[in-house]
Amino acid sequence: MRVLRVRETSTGVEAESGYLPYRDSRVKGPADVIPATAFWLTRAGTDDVPAPAALGSHAVVVLSGEVGVEPRGAQRTVLTAGDVLCVDVHADDALTFSWDGFAWLLYVTTDGWLPEIGDNEARPDAVKRAGRPLLTWIHDDAGTSRSEPLRWPGDLAPVPPVEQWPRSRGAFVTRRDYGDDGYVPGVWHNGPRSQLGITLNGCAENETGDGTVTTPRAGDIAYIDDVTGDGHLTRGQGDRWMLFVTVSPGHLELTPER
């Protein structure tokens, strides 16, 4: 997991490692350590994404692909699944992206927030998922949780104006080192609120009441929407980092498959 912080100042463009503030995954609140305001999931070519200068302060989570980031006057950096780019630039030439074909990305506006400079020193994953990310919707169905594919309620690309993105109440990061000796047992629990859970590092098994088991790794997203009912079970492995983006009521309403 790498966090790249790019900021434009009066003297130029600064590109440094960013430190994500985090808490233990067993601590459930508050939900707005990062003041996220809107978010968008995309599978996009470089021509399909907004110019960084148009978004103000924001984060881009790489879900799959190899995304080249070249700040003006700085060395090009390649980000892969689970890496995070945090940006606040104002000039159109301050930052350029490059990748082959399509990349899966999650955009999150952050309302003036950027991480402090530093290194989170996450233990690297032994294995990363190849190909497209795993997108899962976990929801309550008459008391029993179910896992279904997360189908974004709109075209993934081109990315629309921010005014059309779903809104968020905020975001936060958790960390728990489960070790590498197999999955650590978990307990059944509900999501404390409707939220996107993006795996940045480590891996897990999520089991729902319908018997489905999914295995999220770096770059995978679960929309955790089972705030009622019997909940779901999570078993962790590795140095597991998660970014949670809360969802404002009515802003990401999905329809179950029948």
Side-chain angles (χ1 to χ4, degrees), residues 2-4 60 62 64-69 77-81 83-85:
R2 182 170 188 174
V3 180
L4 180 63
V60 184
V62 179
S64 77
E66 295 186 350
V67 176
V69 180
T77 298
V78 177
L79 302 180
T80 61
D83 293 340
V84 184
L85 171 67

Side-chain angles (χ1 to χ4, degrees), residues 68-130:
V69 180
E70 188 169 351
R72 186 180 65 224
Q75 186 176 0
R76 182 176 182 266
T77 298
V78 177
L79 302 180
T80 61
D83 293 340
V84 184
L85 171 67
C86 298
V87 184
D88 187 8
V89 297
H90 312 290
D92 290 340
D93 65 346
L95 181 69
T96 58
F97 290 129
S98 60
W99 61 81
D100 293 331
F102 297 93
W104 284 85
L105 307 169
L106 180 73
Y107 279 83
V108 182
T109 60
T110 56
D111 195 23
W113 180 90
L114 285 182
E116 298 296 326
I117 297 170
D119 186 354
N120 286 99
E121 298 181 352
R123 288 197 298 108
D125 290 335
V127 179
K128 286 200 172 186
R129 182 183 299 282

Side-chain angles (χ1 to χ4, degrees), residues 53-222:
L55 296 179
S57 299
H58 64 284
V60 184
V61 185
V62 179
L63 307 179
S64 77
E66 295 186 350
V67 176
V69 180
E70 188 169 351
R72 186 180 65 224
Q75 186 176 0
R76 182 176 182 266
T77 298
V78 177
L79 302 180
T80 61
D83 293 340
V84 184
L85 171 67
C86 298
V87 184
D88 187 8
V89 297
H90 312 290
D92 290 340
D93 65 346
L95 181 69
T96 58
F97 290 129
S98 60
W99 61 81
D100 293 331
F102 297 93
W104 284 85
L105 307 169
L106 180 73
Y107 279 83
V108 182
T109 60
T110 56
D111 195 23
W113 180 90
L114 285 182
E116 298 296 326
I117 297 170
D119 186 354
N120 286 99
E121 298 181 352
R123 288 197 298 108
D125 290 335
V127 179
K128 286 200 172 186
R129 182 183 299 282
R132 60 164 289 164
L134 176 67
L135 309 175
T136 307
W137 176 32
I138 297 174
H139 66 97
D140 175 36
D141 183 5
T144 299
S145 61
R146 299 194 179 279
S147 296
E148 298 189 30
L150 170 58
R151 304 187 188 282
W152 197 250
D155 293 336
L156 294 173
V159 176
V162 174
E163 293 76 17
Q164 299 177 26
W165 297 9
R167 305 295 291 181
S168 165
R169 289 179 166 178
F172 60 99
V173 176
T174 65
R175 179 189 193 184
R176 184 177 175 187
D177 196 338
Y178 293 91
D180 298 317
D181 297 329
Y183 290 104
V184 174
V187 297
W188 289 90
H189 63 286
N190 296 103
R193 56 190 72 85
S194 295
Q195 57 192 17
L196 295 175
I198 303 97
T199 302
L200 304 180
N201 202 71
C203 56
E205 288 183 341
N206 286 333
E207 181 176 350
T208 47
D210 62 354
T212 302
V213 177
T214 55
T215 56
R217 296 185 178 275
D220 293 342
I221 294 181

